[in-house]
């Protein structure tokens, strides 16, 4: 279990992208749009973490579903091609807005 969230999201996404069933703390998944019991298991105490681990180990159907849904989640929400396309669209939108006629690219600075 990762108790601190620093870098944890990347570790979780890497495991999920590899199609692994993941059990994580609420802090570790903060900022990710995951669904408990669908993409992974979220456990907020050592006892719940152990129970979730046993459940995943004992229930092959649950484990396989978590693995499949985890992989699909990463492909849909964290694919570099999709994320970079969104970034390109954002930069292009800002450029179009800034280059409109009669609009200065110089910003006022408070003195």
């Amino acid at each position: 279990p990762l108790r601190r969230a620093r870098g944890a999201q990347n570790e979780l996404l890497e495991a999920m992208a590899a199609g692994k069933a993941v059990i994580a703390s609420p802090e570790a998944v903060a900022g990710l749009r995951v669904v408990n019991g669908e993409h992974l298991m979220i456990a907020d105490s050592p006892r719940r973490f152990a129970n979730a681990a046993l459940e995943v180990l004992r229930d092959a159907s649950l484990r396989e579903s978590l693995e499949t849904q985890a992989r699909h989640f990463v492909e849909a929400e964290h694919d570099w091609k999709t994320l970079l396309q969104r970034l390109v669209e954002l930069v292009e939108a800002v450029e179009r807005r800034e280059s409109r006629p009669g609009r200065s690219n110089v910003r006022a600075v408070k003195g």
Side-chain angles (χ1 to χ4, degrees), residues 19-107:
K20 300 298 178 185
V22 172
I23 304 165
S25 68
E27 296 82 10
V29 300
L32 297 177
R33 296 186 321 179
V34 293
V35 176
N36 184 29
E38 182 178 334
H39 304 119
L40 49 66
M41 303 288 281
I42 300 173
D44 60 0
S45 73
R47 180 176 299 279
R48 287 190 176 130
F49 195 97
N51 288 339
L54 288 172
E55 185 178 1
V56 169
L57 288 171
R58 290 177 177 154
D59 187 340
S61 178
L62 171 63
R63 184 175 56 253
E64 290 168 7
S65 175
L66 290 172
E67 292 170 346
T68 300
Q69 292 305 314
R71 174 76 184 185
H72 290 315
F73 171 80
V74 174
E75 289 173 348
E77 297 290 326
H78 296 277
D79 178 67
W80 278 112
K81 194 179 282 187
T82 303
L83 294 173
L84 289 175
Q85 182 59 38
R86 289 184 205 158
L87 177 61
V88 167
E89 290 168 2
L90 176 64
V91 170
E92 288 173 344
V94 169
E95 190 278 330
R96 282 191 304 274
R97 190 185 83 212
E98 293 295 322
S99 65
R100 284 187 289 189
R103 185 166 171 93
S104 171
N105 285 334
V106 178
R107 301 192 190 248

